Amino acid sequence: MPVEAESICPLSNDILYDILGRLDGATLASAACTCASFSSISKEEKIWENVCNSLWPSVNRDDVRNLIRSIGGFRKFYSDSYPLIVNKDLGLDSFLEYPEEWPEADYYEDFEEYESITPSDFVSLVDIRYKDKTIFSKVLWGISESDVLGRWFYNAPFHIELGSSDVSNNAGKVIISGEDGLPQIESVDNERKEGKLWVELRDRLRLSWIIVNKKVKQAANVSSLIPLGVQRHWPSDKDFLVRFGSVLPAKGILPCQVVECILVVKFRMFKNTTSNFVNLEMTQVRMQLEDMEGFHLNGRNTLMVLKKALSCRKTRNYSEVLESCNLYSRVRSEIKEEKLRNESRIDKMCILTGVVVVVTFWFCIL
């Protein structure tokens, strides 16, 4: 039975504030719809700041707090970043009807709008959790590769890579051990047979990668939060690649209309000499964008796609996000198979043509 506002009025605002301050973001948003008192107090920025701090430790910095206030406040930031990107508007037919190459002039609907986008407009807030414990938090102001490459950045393959020095926290390397709840594995050979660490990373690791555009004052989480897959990195079976990501819209930017944002976290197994069990060291965090054919997007196209992603459809249903990513993988596989079939038909025609030419040649000679 819904509680009327009058029955809650005798409670002081301090008590109501304390009650709402203990809720997570989704529950807080639901509580705000129950009565006028909750609705009024739930608009307090400090409450939403605490919610954001609990979800994303990267926002707990003075410079990031100032950034969030400049784009509309913590309540808006939460509503932009908590739901995840979902994109199901893709299919094999819609992709194949486009030409393989577009003239450069046709890539951009508004070239002046493209020219106004710069790498320094984007800020990345990266947070990684293992079993609800933050093991890594990083803020990237701009895109560092653009500073090194200069104008080459716009035509070079885009990627953001945090190496071993970047993924180290203040206390040293980022290590997951038995003290953190990691299953006890005595050797790499045992892991090959049992696969406990593989399962643990798939079920317990969470990644949030929030892109903020300072110029348009919008944010979006380009991660799937839950791993899309875990694999051992060939040729070394000591490395794990945990893949996250999302499907981003590219209509009016690229012929394929959609691209995949690939986020990879790399771990390496090593034996702890103290406990005699295998630990995991995080060695790399990487972002790159690929089109339907598996080609890396360049910096110019990436900036346009990231800006468009800020205002695309989002959902709080994780299963819908995973379904969107799985659908993209299936469509991409179908496209690859269709191209292989076309190439096979062309090869057969070439062989048949060659045989006909040879037979005709010898017929003419004889």
Side-chain angles (χ1 to χ4, degrees):
M1 181 176 179
V3 181
E4 297 181 357
E6 290 78 3
S7 63
I8 301 181
C9 285
L11 296 177
S12 67
N13 286 340
D14 292 338
I15 295 178
L16 297 180
Y17 185 93
D18 184 67
I19 293 173
L20 296 181
R22 299 173 185 271
L23 304 179
D24 58 63
T27 308
L28 178 60
S30 299
C33 301
T34 59
C35 69
S37 299
F38 281 179
S39 177
S40 177
I41 297 177
S42 65
K43 296 177 182 178
E44 292 287 338
E45 272 292 290
K46 187 60 179 177
I47 291 182
W48 288 104
E49 181 177 350
N50 293 337
V51 170
C52 292
N53 287 339
S54 64
L55 281 175
W56 309 296
S58 58
V59 308
N60 192 20
R61 294 174 30 162
D62 290 339
D63 52 357
V64 178
R65 282 194 290 266
N66 292 334
L67 168 66
I68 293 175
R69 293 188 184 104
S70 69
I71 65 173
F74 285 90
R75 186 182 181 188
K76 178 181 181 299
F77 177 77
Y78 176 86
S79 65
D80 284 347
S81 307
Y82 180 71
L84 303 178
I85 292 174
V86 60
N87 194 338
K88 297 182 181 179
D89 299 328
L90 62 153
L92 179 62
D93 295 336
S94 63
F95 174 77
L96 292 178
E97 68 183 10
Y98 283 90
E100 292 187 2
E101 295 184 1
W102 281 8
E104 183 173 330
D106 295 337
Y107 269 61
Y108 310 108
E109 296 175 347
D110 190 340
F111 191 78
E112 292 183 358
E113 179 185 2
Y114 154 69
E115 285 290 306
S116 66
I117 304 175
T118 62
S120 60
D121 294 336
F122 295 91
V123 180
S124 294
L125 309 179
V126 186
D127 295 286
I128 302 177
R129 291 177 179 267
Y130 172 70
K131 288 188 173 181
D132 295 327
K133 176 185 176 183
T134 300
I135 61 173
F136 175 74
S137 185
K138 182 78 174 180
V139 179
L140 302 176
W141 294 89
I143 300 173
S144 58
E145 285 77 8
S146 64
D147 299 332
V148 177
L149 297 175
R151 295 298 300 179
W152 285 97
F153 165 81
Y154 295 96
N155 295 311
F158 168 86
H159 74 284
I160 297 178
E161 185 170 313
L162 303 179
S164 56
S165 59
D166 296 298
V167 300
S168 298
N169 55 30
N170 295 331
K173 298 179 179 179
V174 178
I175 304 293
I176 303 178
S177 64
E179 297 178 356
D180 302 309
L182 194 71
Q184 295 183 343
I185 303 295
E186 295 183 353
S187 67
V188 176
D189 291 333
N190 287 346
E191 168 57 23
R192 290 198 202 102
K193 298 175 183 177
E194 301 175 5
K196 289 184 179 180
L197 300 183
W198 183 92
V199 173
E200 189 71 8
L201 291 174
R202 182 197 64 187
D203 295 342
R204 306 295 184 183
L205 197 71
R206 300 291 182 264
L207 167 66
S208 171
W209 193 308
I210 299 174
I211 297 291
V212 182
N213 188 305
K214 298 184 292 184
K215 184 170 294 184
V216 300
K217 298 183 178 181
Q218 289 180 305
N221 199 332
V222 296
S223 174
S224 56
L225 186 62
I226 299 174
L228 299 174
V230 182
Q231 68 182 63
R232 285 194 176 90
H233 182 55
W234 185 89
S236 171
D237 57 359
K238 294 183 179 180
D239 294 332
F240 288 104
L241 297 181
V242 188
R243 187 172 65 89
F244 302 80
S246 57
V247 181
L248 306 182
K251 187 175 182 180
I253 303 173
L254 292 171
C256 55
Q257 298 192 78
V258 289
V259 299
E260 184 179 18
C261 178
I262 300 174
L263 309 173
V264 175
V265 183
K266 184 177 179 181
F267 289 90
R268 173 160 294 177
M269 293 187 288
F270 71 96
K271 198 162 187 178
N272 190 329
T273 55
T274 303
S275 64
N276 209 31
F277 290 110
V278 172
N279 290 348
L280 291 175
E281 177 187 354
M282 191 168 70
T283 59
Q284 186 185 82
V285 183
R286 184 176 75 246
M287 171 198 278
Q288 64 191 49
L289 274 69
E290 292 183 359
D291 64 13
M292 279 282 193
E293 297 180 275
F295 293 111
H296 292 190
L297 269 64
N298 59 27
R300 174 176 54 190
N301 293 334
T302 297
L303 295 183
M304 294 290 289
V305 169
L306 290 179
K307 181 179 178 182
K308 185 178 286 288
L310 298 174
S311 56
C312 70
R313 184 191 167 202
K314 302 174 185 177
T315 180
R316 295 179 180 176
N317 187 343
Y318 293 145
S319 61
E320 194 175 2
V321 176
L322 297 179
E323 182 184 350
S324 169
C325 295
N326 292 334
L327 175 61
Y328 180 90
S329 298
R330 289 198 300 270
V331 171
R332 187 170 61 178
S333 297
E334 291 175 6
I335 291 172
K336 184 177 180 180
E337 292 173 0
E338 180 67 20
K339 290 199 171 210
L340 289 175
R341 286 193 291 267
N342 291 337
E343 291 174 0
S344 178
R345 285 192 288 266
I346 293 174
D347 291 340
K348 291 178 181 178
M349 291 180 62
C350 291
I351 294 173
L352 181 61
T353 302
V355 171
V356 171
V357 170
V358 171
V359 171
T360 304
F361 175 76
W362 282 105
F363 180 80
C364 293
I365 292 178
L366 297 176

Short mmCIF file of all heavy atoms in Angstrom, two decimals, residues 292-326:
data_model
loop_
_atom_site.label_atom_id
_atom_site.label_comp_id
_atom_site.label_asym_id
_atom_site.label_seq_id
_atom_site.Cartn_x
_atom_site.Cartn_y
_atom_site.Cartn_z
N MET A 292 32.55 -3.76 -39.22
CA MET A 292 31.99 -5.09 -39.42
C MET A 292 33.00 -6.08 -40.01
O MET A 292 32.88 -7.29 -39.82
CB MET A 292 30.77 -5.01 -40.34
CG MET A 292 29.49 -4.59 -39.64
SD MET A 292 28.78 -5.95 -38.74
CE MET A 292 27.15 -5.30 -38.38
N GLU A 293 33.98 -5.57 -40.74
CA GLU A 293 34.96 -6.45 -41.37
C GLU A 293 36.20 -6.65 -40.52
O GLU A 293 37.15 -7.30 -40.94
CB GLU A 293 35.35 -5.89 -42.73
CG GLU A 293 34.20 -5.82 -43.72
CD GLU A 293 34.62 -5.27 -45.06
OE1 GLU A 293 34.64 -4.05 -45.21
OE2 GLU A 293 34.92 -6.08 -45.96
N GLY A 294 36.20 -6.08 -39.31
CA GLY A 294 37.33 -6.28 -38.42
C GLY A 294 38.45 -5.28 -38.59
O GLY A 294 39.53 -5.44 -37.99
N PHE A 295 38.24 -4.23 -39.39
CA PHE A 295 39.27 -3.21 -39.58
C PHE A 295 39.17 -2.16 -38.47
O PHE A 295 38.08 -1.75 -38.08
CB PHE A 295 39.12 -2.53 -40.94
CG PHE A 295 39.39 -3.45 -42.10
CD1 PHE A 295 38.35 -3.85 -42.94
CD2 PHE A 295 40.67 -3.92 -42.35
CE1 PHE A 295 38.59 -4.71 -44.00
CE2 PHE A 295 40.92 -4.78 -43.41
CZ PHE A 295 39.87 -5.17 -44.24
N HIS A 296 40.32 -1.70 -38.00
CA HIS A 296 40.35 -0.69 -36.96
C HIS A 296 39.94 0.67 -37.53
O HIS A 296 40.37 1.05 -38.62
CB HIS A 296 41.76 -0.58 -36.36
CG HIS A 296 42.16 -1.78 -35.58
ND1 HIS A 296 43.29 -1.82 -34.80
CD2 HIS A 296 41.59 -3.00 -35.44
CE1 HIS A 296 43.40 -3.00 -34.23
NE2 HIS A 296 42.37 -3.73 -34.61
N LEU A 297 39.13 1.39 -36.77
CA LEU A 297 38.76 2.74 -37.17
C LEU A 297 39.93 3.68 -36.95
O LEU A 297 40.71 3.51 -36.00
CB LEU A 297 37.55 3.23 -36.37
CG LEU A 297 36.16 2.96 -36.97
CD1 LEU A 297 35.90 1.46 -37.05
CD2 LEU A 297 35.09 3.63 -36.14
N ASN A 298 40.03 4.69 -37.80
CA ASN A 298 41.06 5.70 -37.58
C ASN A 298 40.56 6.73 -36.57
O ASN A 298 39.41 6.72 -36.14
CB ASN A 298 41.48 6.35 -38.90
CG ASN A 298 40.32 7.03 -39.62
OD1 ASN A 298 39.35 7.45 -38.99
ND2 ASN A 298 40.42 7.13 -40.93
N GLY A 299 41.44 7.64 -36.19
CA GLY A 299 41.10 8.63 -35.18
C GLY A 299 39.97 9.54 -35.57
O GLY A 299 39.11 9.88 -34.76
N ARG A 300 39.92 9.91 -36.85
CA ARG A 300 38.88 10.82 -37.33
C ARG A 300 37.49 10.20 -37.19
O ARG A 300 36.57 10.80 -36.63
CB ARG A 300 39.16 11.17 -38.79
CG ARG A 300 38.08 12.00 -39.46
CD ARG A 300 38.48 12.38 -40.87
NE ARG A 300 38.85 11.21 -41.65
CZ ARG A 300 39.42 11.27 -42.85
NH1 ARG A 300 39.69 12.44 -43.38
NH2 ARG A 300 39.72 10.17 -43.51
N ASN A 301 37.34 8.96 -37.68
CA ASN A 301 36.05 8.30 -37.58
C ASN A 301 35.68 7.98 -36.14
O ASN A 301 34.51 8.02 -35.76
CB ASN A 301 36.05 7.01 -38.41
CG ASN A 301 36.16 7.28 -39.90
OD1 ASN A 301 35.78 8.34 -40.38
ND2 ASN A 301 36.71 6.33 -40.64
N THR A 302 36.67 7.66 -35.33
CA THR A 302 36.42 7.32 -33.94
C THR A 302 35.82 8.50 -33.17
O THR A 302 34.88 8.33 -32.39
CB THR A 302 37.72 6.86 -33.25
OG1 THR A 302 38.19 5.67 -33.87
CG2 THR A 302 37.48 6.59 -31.77
N LEU A 303 36.35 9.69 -33.39
CA LEU A 303 35.82 10.87 -32.71
C LEU A 303 34.36 11.09 -33.06
O LEU A 303 33.54 11.42 -32.19
CB LEU A 303 36.64 12.11 -33.07
CG LEU A 303 38.10 12.13 -32.59
CD1 LEU A 303 38.76 13.46 -32.98
CD2 LEU A 303 38.20 11.92 -31.10
N MET A 304 34.02 10.89 -34.34
CA MET A 304 32.63 11.06 -34.76
C MET A 304 31.73 10.01 -34.14
O MET A 304 30.62 10.30 -33.68
CB MET A 304 32.54 10.98 -36.29
CG MET A 304 33.24 12.11 -37.02
SD MET A 304 32.38 13.69 -36.83
CE MET A 304 30.93 13.40 -37.83
N VAL A 305 32.20 8.76 -34.09
CA VAL A 305 31.40 7.67 -33.52
C VAL A 305 31.20 7.88 -32.02
O VAL A 305 30.09 7.70 -31.50
CB VAL A 305 32.08 6.31 -33.80
CG1 VAL A 305 31.40 5.20 -32.98
CG2 VAL A 305 32.02 5.98 -35.27
N LEU A 306 32.25 8.26 -31.32
CA LEU A 306 32.14 8.47 -29.87
C LEU A 306 31.16 9.60 -29.56
O LEU A 306 30.39 9.52 -28.59
CB LEU A 306 33.51 8.77 -29.27
CG LEU A 306 34.50 7.61 -29.22
CD1 LEU A 306 35.82 8.06 -28.62
CD2 LEU A 306 33.93 6.43 -28.43
N LYS A 307 31.19 10.65 -30.36
CA LYS A 307 30.25 11.74 -30.12
C LYS A 307 28.81 11.28 -30.36
O LYS A 307 27.91 11.61 -29.57
CB LYS A 307 30.57 12.93 -31.03
CG LYS A 307 29.63 14.11 -30.79
CD LYS A 307 29.96 15.28 -31.68
CE LYS A 307 28.97 16.42 -31.43
NZ LYS A 307 29.22 17.59 -32.30
N LYS A 308 28.58 10.49 -31.41
CA LYS A 308 27.24 10.00 -31.70
C LYS A 308 26.77 9.03 -30.61
O LYS A 308 25.59 8.97 -30.27
CB LYS A 308 27.21 9.31 -33.07
CG LYS A 308 25.84 8.85 -33.52
CD LYS A 308 25.91 8.22 -34.90
CE LYS A 308 26.09 9.26 -35.97
NZ LYS A 308 24.86 10.07 -36.19
N ALA A 309 27.71 8.28 -30.03
CA ALA A 309 27.36 7.30 -28.99
C ALA A 309 26.83 7.96 -27.73
O ALA A 309 26.10 7.33 -26.95
CB ALA A 309 28.57 6.44 -28.66
N LEU A 310 27.17 9.21 -27.50
CA LEU A 310 26.73 9.89 -26.28
C LEU A 310 25.22 10.06 -26.21
O LEU A 310 24.65 10.15 -25.12
CB LEU A 310 27.41 11.27 -26.19
CG LEU A 310 28.94 11.26 -26.08
CD1 LEU A 310 29.47 12.69 -26.14
CD2 LEU A 310 29.40 10.58 -24.81
N SER A 311 24.57 10.09 -27.36
CA SER A 311 23.13 10.34 -27.38
C SER A 311 22.33 9.17 -27.95
O SER A 311 21.17 9.33 -28.31
CB SER A 311 22.83 11.59 -28.21
OG SER A 311 23.36 11.48 -29.52
N CYS A 312 22.93 7.98 -28.03
CA CYS A 312 22.21 6.84 -28.59
C CYS A 312 21.38 6.16 -27.51
O CYS A 312 21.42 6.53 -26.33
CB CYS A 312 23.17 5.85 -29.24
SG CYS A 312 24.20 4.96 -28.06
N ARG A 313 20.63 5.14 -27.89
CA ARG A 313 19.73 4.45 -26.97
C ARG A 313 20.52 3.70 -25.88
O ARG A 313 21.57 3.12 -26.14
CB ARG A 313 18.88 3.45 -27.75
CG ARG A 313 17.84 2.75 -26.88
CD ARG A 313 17.20 1.59 -27.60
NE ARG A 313 16.46 0.75 -26.69
CZ ARG A 313 16.14 -0.51 -26.92
NH1 ARG A 313 16.53 -1.08 -28.04
NH2 ARG A 313 15.45 -1.21 -26.04
N LYS A 314 19.99 3.73 -24.65
CA LYS A 314 20.62 3.06 -23.52
C LYS A 314 19.58 2.25 -22.74
O LYS A 314 18.39 2.50 -22.85
CB LYS A 314 21.29 4.09 -22.59
CG LYS A 314 22.34 4.96 -23.28
CD LYS A 314 22.86 6.04 -22.35
CE LYS A 314 23.80 6.97 -23.09
NZ LYS A 314 24.29 8.08 -22.23
N THR A 315 20.09 1.31 -21.95
CA THR A 315 19.20 0.47 -21.16
C THR A 315 19.88 0.07 -19.86
O THR A 315 21.11 0.06 -19.78
CB THR A 315 18.79 -0.80 -21.94
OG1 THR A 315 17.92 -1.60 -21.14
CG2 THR A 315 20.02 -1.63 -22.28
N ARG A 316 19.05 -0.26 -18.85
CA ARG A 316 19.58 -0.77 -17.58
C ARG A 316 19.49 -2.28 -17.51
O ARG A 316 19.81 -2.89 -16.49
CB ARG A 316 18.81 -0.15 -16.42
CG ARG A 316 19.03 1.36 -16.30
CD ARG A 316 18.24 1.97 -15.17
NE ARG A 316 18.47 3.41 -15.09
CZ ARG A 316 17.84 4.22 -14.24
NH1 ARG A 316 16.93 3.73 -13.44
NH2 ARG A 316 18.11 5.51 -14.23
N ASN A 317 19.04 -2.89 -18.60
CA ASN A 317 18.90 -4.34 -18.67
C ASN A 317 20.18 -4.93 -19.25
O ASN A 317 20.44 -4.83 -20.45
CB ASN A 317 17.69 -4.71 -19.53
CG ASN A 317 17.39 -6.18 -19.50
OD1 ASN A 317 18.21 -7.00 -19.11
ND2 ASN A 317 16.18 -6.54 -19.94
N TYR A 318 21.01 -5.58 -18.40
CA TYR A 318 22.28 -6.13 -18.85
C TYR A 318 22.09 -7.20 -19.92
O TYR A 318 22.88 -7.30 -20.86
CB TYR A 318 23.05 -6.72 -17.67
CG TYR A 318 23.51 -5.70 -16.66
CD1 TYR A 318 23.55 -6.00 -15.31
CD2 TYR A 318 23.90 -4.42 -17.07
CE1 TYR A 318 23.96 -5.05 -14.37
CE2 TYR A 318 24.31 -3.47 -16.14
CZ TYR A 318 24.35 -3.79 -14.79
OH TYR A 318 24.75 -2.86 -13.88
N SER A 319 21.04 -8.02 -19.78
CA SER A 319 20.82 -9.09 -20.75
C SER A 319 20.54 -8.52 -22.14
O SER A 319 20.93 -9.11 -23.16
CB SER A 319 19.64 -9.97 -20.30
OG SER A 319 18.44 -9.22 -20.21
N GLU A 320 19.90 -7.36 -22.20
CA GLU A 320 19.64 -6.72 -23.49
C GLU A 320 20.94 -6.22 -24.12
O GLU A 320 21.11 -6.29 -25.34
CB GLU A 320 18.66 -5.55 -23.30
CG GLU A 320 18.07 -5.03 -24.59
CD GLU A 320 17.02 -3.96 -24.38
OE1 GLU A 320 16.76 -3.60 -23.20
OE2 GLU A 320 16.44 -3.49 -25.38
N VAL A 321 21.85 -5.74 -23.30
CA VAL A 321 23.16 -5.30 -23.80
C VAL A 321 23.94 -6.49 -24.35
O VAL A 321 24.53 -6.41 -25.44
CB VAL A 321 23.95 -4.61 -22.68
CG1 VAL A 321 25.36 -4.25 -23.16
CG2 VAL A 321 23.23 -3.36 -22.20
N LEU A 322 23.96 -7.59 -23.61
CA LEU A 322 24.67 -8.78 -24.06
C LEU A 322 24.05 -9.33 -25.34
O LEU A 322 24.76 -9.78 -26.25
CB LEU A 322 24.66 -9.84 -22.96
CG LEU A 322 25.37 -9.46 -21.66
CD1 LEU A 322 25.25 -10.58 -20.64
CD2 LEU A 322 26.83 -9.14 -21.92
N GLU A 323 22.73 -9.28 -25.43
CA GLU A 323 22.05 -9.73 -26.64
C GLU A 323 22.44 -8.88 -27.83
O GLU A 323 22.63 -9.39 -28.94
CB GLU A 323 20.53 -9.68 -26.43
CG GLU A 323 19.72 -10.17 -27.61
CD GLU A 323 18.23 -10.02 -27.40
OE1 GLU A 323 17.82 -9.70 -26.26
OE2 GLU A 323 17.47 -10.21 -28.36
N SER A 324 22.57 -7.58 -27.61
CA SER A 324 22.98 -6.68 -28.68
C SER A 324 24.38 -7.02 -29.19
O SER A 324 24.63 -7.07 -30.40
CB SER A 324 22.94 -5.23 -28.18
OG SER A 324 23.55 -4.34 -29.10
N CYS A 325 25.31 -7.28 -28.26
CA CYS A 325 26.69 -7.62 -28.64
C CYS A 325 26.75 -8.97 -29.34
O CYS A 325 27.50 -9.14 -30.31
CB CYS A 325 27.58 -7.62 -27.40
SG CYS A 325 27.77 -6.00 -26.62
N ASN A 326 25.95 -9.94 -28.87
CA ASN A 326 25.92 -11.26 -29.51
C ASN A 326 25.33 -11.18 -30.91
O ASN A 326 25.79 -11.87 -31.83
CB ASN A 326 25.13 -12.24 -28.65
CG ASN A 326 25.82 -12.57 -27.35
OD1 ASN A 326 27.05 -12.50 -27.24
ND2 ASN A 326 25.06 -12.94 -26.33
#
